[in-house]
Amino acid sequence: MATIEECRAALEKLSDTMQHAEGDVAAATALDRSVSCRITDLDITFVGRMMGGRIVVQDTIQGAPKEKAQIRLTMKGDDLVALVDGELNFAKAWGSGRVKLEAGLKDLFQLRKLL
């Protein structure tokens, strides 16, 4: 089971990757939205903001967040690490329910370029 530190490091790695994106992917990273990443097996949620082509984690809270972020991810810690390391295909994980992504329709269309 991935630790909180490994999950935070995976989010930092994802953020670094996003910052260096080009083309359509760069356009998708340009969103300015609140973001949460719930790690179910650790019962924590990373909350922050996607802005300036990065994900900025502002806090780590126990359990589910009180307010819904505009973009919400839910998964196990091992799946987050595997996704960021390229060992888990997002589309397959999402289709099988291992990863949940919730956002407004317009944001989902933009985010599909990222994923």
Side-chain angles (χ1 to χ4, degrees):
M1 180 167 67
T3 65
I4 293 173
E5 293 79 18
E6 289 170 324
C7 291
R8 182 179 283 276
L11 287 172
E12 285 293 323
K13 183 177 178 181
L14 175 61
S15 183
D16 289 344
T17 301
M18 287 172 50
Q19 192 170 30
H20 297 99
E22 297 177 353
D24 286 345
V25 176
T29 65
L31 294 172
D32 183 1
R33 301 285 188 271
S34 59
V35 177
S36 66
C37 182
R38 177 135 170 72
I39 307 299
T40 56
D41 55 335
L42 297 175
D43 194 29
I44 61 155
T45 304
F46 295 99
V47 293
R49 190 139 199 103
M50 179 188 286
M51 60 185 195
R54 293 191 58 84
I55 297 172
V56 178
V57 175
Q58 297 165 330
D59 202 2
T60 305
I61 60 171
Q62 193 68 36
K66 293 179 181 166
E67 294 182 24
K68 277 188 174 180
Q70 292 167 304
I71 299 171
R72 300 172 301 283
L73 286 163
T74 304
M75 68 194 80
K76 291 183 178 180
D78 288 341
D79 289 338
L80 172 63
V81 172
L83 278 169
V84 173
D85 286 345
E87 298 168 4
L88 179 63
N89 178 279
F90 180 84
K92 289 181 182 178
W94 186 43
S96 69
R98 285 175 67 177
V99 173
K100 294 179 184 169
L101 171 63
E102 300 173 272
L105 190 57
K106 185 177 178 182
D107 289 341
L108 285 173
F109 280 121
Q110 283 284 58
L111 291 170
R112 72 183 166 95
K113 297 172 190 171
L114 262 178
L115 310 169

